[in-house]
Amino acid sequence: MLISPAPLPPRSQRVSSAKPSPVRDLLALTRRPEVISFAGGLPAPELFDLDGIREAYDAVLGQPSSLQYSMSEGDPALRAEVAAGYTIDGLPTEASDLLVTTGSQQALGLLATALLDPGDVIFVEDPCYLAALQTFALAGARAIAVPFAEDQLDFDALERLLAVHTPKFFYTVPTFQNPTGRTYTPQSRARLAQLAIRHGFRIIEDEPYRQLRYSGDPVASMATLAPDHVICLGSFSKVIAPGLRLGWVRTTPDIHPAVVIAKQAADLHTSTIDQGAAAHYLASGRGRTALGHITRAYAARRDAMLDGLAEALPDGSTWNQPDGGMFVWARLPDGYDATPALTRALDHDVAFVPGAPFFAESADERSLRLSFTTYEPARIREGLQRLGAALQAG
């Protein structure tokens, strides 16, 4: 006898509320070798220190413990290296303040688990790192966008929002932001830290690009200004290699146990061998040499993109000039929409990311993000020529 199947339960409402990532989708479209893609924020693979990384793995593979289960908090040697970096930069940090994660993206997920309940209000930058918006949507949070005024946060708008809402936290990428490349001034950082203290909300300071500086002076972490209110995230993806999938979270003492529990529930611990190799690599000193090579190369690539944008983009376009990171943020003139322009660009074997998906609320359809790190300057110039031809065709 045939049994009539009952309908299966639906997906969760939270997963249905999270938007797919157009950046990840574009990676599939731009894998053709003839496409010059300014879309993905991809490090240049030819700059990976293959010899140094291989030597680090060879060294730790000689220790059977590198293949064993490990601590949820992470390899003590790796945490000590990260803590030393913070301390040198003026933020005293102990290894016990840190928890190693599977990329800084996992750190966002752990913080969402530890800090958010469905319906909680959070503040985000507008525009905002897209994968963070996905993470917070999956947690059931209500993300409220705080706009920028020129290249700095609109503090008048932020104070108006704080008069109405009590956010659990403000999420920010304050140094070479994704997607805009913007960097908060010391004055903006101090004002945001003061507001966090006065109104009682946390700041999640996501800093995956902090070490990729090509001009200007370094700016201190907001945790130096409000140590009990600022949670810091970092990543090795941009300075060693993204395939390691290694990041970290510098917690505050009040939430550290909750983040550890979230980590235990997520994956027990991050890859033991990858952590051991990263710790060995950093202790060897090769990371500092490699970072110098990377930043010099990326500075030349940034300059090549900035030099070519005037000819590539239509008259009346605007763009910023970031001091570091991986991205330039551009805005097309009135009458343009970056999303259909992408289709024309792909027909010319060049790609970028339309800016609209990065906005939590009202989108700027004329904006676009251009990544300059993946290609050498000559290839960037060729891609900008193609982009100019595509935009003229529209």
Side-chain angles (χ1 to χ4, degrees):
M1 185 176 80
L2 293 176
I3 299 174
S4 178
L8 293 171
R11 298 178 302 172
S12 72
Q13 293 181 356
R14 283 183 291 174
V15 78
S16 299
S17 68
K19 300 176 183 178
S21 169
V23 179
R24 311 310 301 177
D25 294 342
L26 268 174
L27 287 177
L29 292 174
T30 58
R31 288 184 71 87
R32 291 183 290 123
E34 65 270 23
V35 174
I36 298 176
S37 176
F38 301 134
L42 301 181
E46 73 274 12
L47 298 178
F48 298 154
D49 180 12
L50 292 179
D51 291 339
I53 295 170
R54 182 182 298 111
E55 190 278 330
Y57 274 95
D58 286 344
V60 298
L61 275 172
Q63 307 165 17
S65 60
S66 67
L67 300 176
Q68 186 57 276
Y69 286 115
S70 186
M71 302 168 58
S72 296
E73 291 87 346
D75 185 318
L78 182 57
R79 287 186 286 144
E81 290 287 340
V82 175
Y86 275 120
T87 302
I88 291 169
D89 286 345
L91 179 60
T93 302
E94 300 293 334
S96 57
D97 299 327
L98 298 162
L99 186 139
V100 178
T101 58
T102 306
S104 61
Q105 185 63 35
Q106 188 191 46
L108 285 174
L110 299 181
L111 291 174
T113 299
L115 298 177
L116 295 176
D117 292 310
D120 281 345
V121 170
I122 61 169
F123 286 178
V124 298
E125 299 165 320
D126 209 29
C128 179
Y129 172 48
L130 181 58
L133 294 177
Q134 290 180 306
T135 298
F136 302 146
L138 283 173
R142 179 188 172 198
I144 294 178
V146 181
F148 282 82
E150 299 301 329
D151 266 352
Q152 295 300 313
L153 200 67
D154 186 339
F155 282 97
D156 291 338
L158 175 56
E159 297 217 37
R160 288 193 297 270
L161 290 169
L162 285 169
V164 179
H165 302 284
T166 303
K168 282 290 189 74
F169 57 74
F170 183 99
Y171 171 76
T172 174
V173 184
T175 308
F176 316 134
Q177 193 226 23
N178 182 358
T180 67
R182 295 165 172 152
T183 296
Y184 288 24
T185 63
Q187 295 78 14
S188 291
R189 291 168 193 250
R191 189 169 178 184
L192 182 55
Q194 291 163 6
L195 287 172
I197 295 170
R198 186 185 314 150
H199 290 271
F201 62 87
R202 293 182 173 88
I203 298 170
I204 296 180
E205 183 182 61
D206 196 356
E207 296 267 57
Y209 311 101
R210 182 179 184 84
Q211 294 174 279
L212 299 181
R213 177 174 287 278
Y214 323 127
S215 55
D217 296 323
V219 188
S221 164
M222 281 180 279
T224 61
L225 305 169
D228 294 331
H229 293 71
V230 180
I231 303 162
C232 304
L233 307 185
S235 172
F236 292 116
S237 292
K238 313 303 186 293
V239 297
I240 301 181
L244 291 176
R245 304 309 303 134
L246 287 176
W248 65 85
V249 52
R250 182 187 184 275
T251 64
T252 51
D254 59 318
I255 69 163
H256 187 84
V259 179
V260 172
I261 291 171
K263 175 67 174 176
Q264 291 169 348
D267 64 0
L268 301 184
H269 64 84
T270 295
S271 166
T272 309
I273 188 169
D274 293 335
Q275 292 186 72
H280 185 279
Y281 181 75
L282 293 173
S284 75
R286 292 192 63 134
R288 290 187 295 276
T289 302
L291 181 61
H293 184 44
I294 289 168
T295 54
R296 287 190 295 272
Y298 286 175
R301 298 173 189 206
R302 176 204 59 179
D303 293 345
M305 175 163 282
L306 293 175
D307 290 345
L309 283 176
E311 292 187 13
L313 300 183
D315 291 342
S317 299
T318 59
W319 55 90
N320 61 350
Q321 300 194 31
D323 283 327
M326 305 179 79
F327 307 110
V328 172
W329 185 249
R331 195 163 186 258
L332 301 174
D334 287 337
Y336 280 83
D337 186 329
T339 299
L342 173 61
T343 301
R344 297 194 299 273
L346 288 169
D347 290 339
H348 286 75
D349 289 331
V350 65
F352 59 85
V353 179
F358 296 97
F359 289 84
E361 297 179 11
S362 298
D364 182 353
E365 303 291 349
R366 293 155 54 190
S367 61
L368 61 147
R369 190 192 76 176
L370 297 159
S371 175
F372 53 79
T373 52
T374 309
Y375 303 104
E376 294 184 355
R379 189 73 166 157
I380 289 173
R381 289 190 284 269
E382 181 183 350
L384 290 176
Q385 291 173 354
R386 296 182 190 181
L387 179 60
L391 293 174
Q392 290 172 10

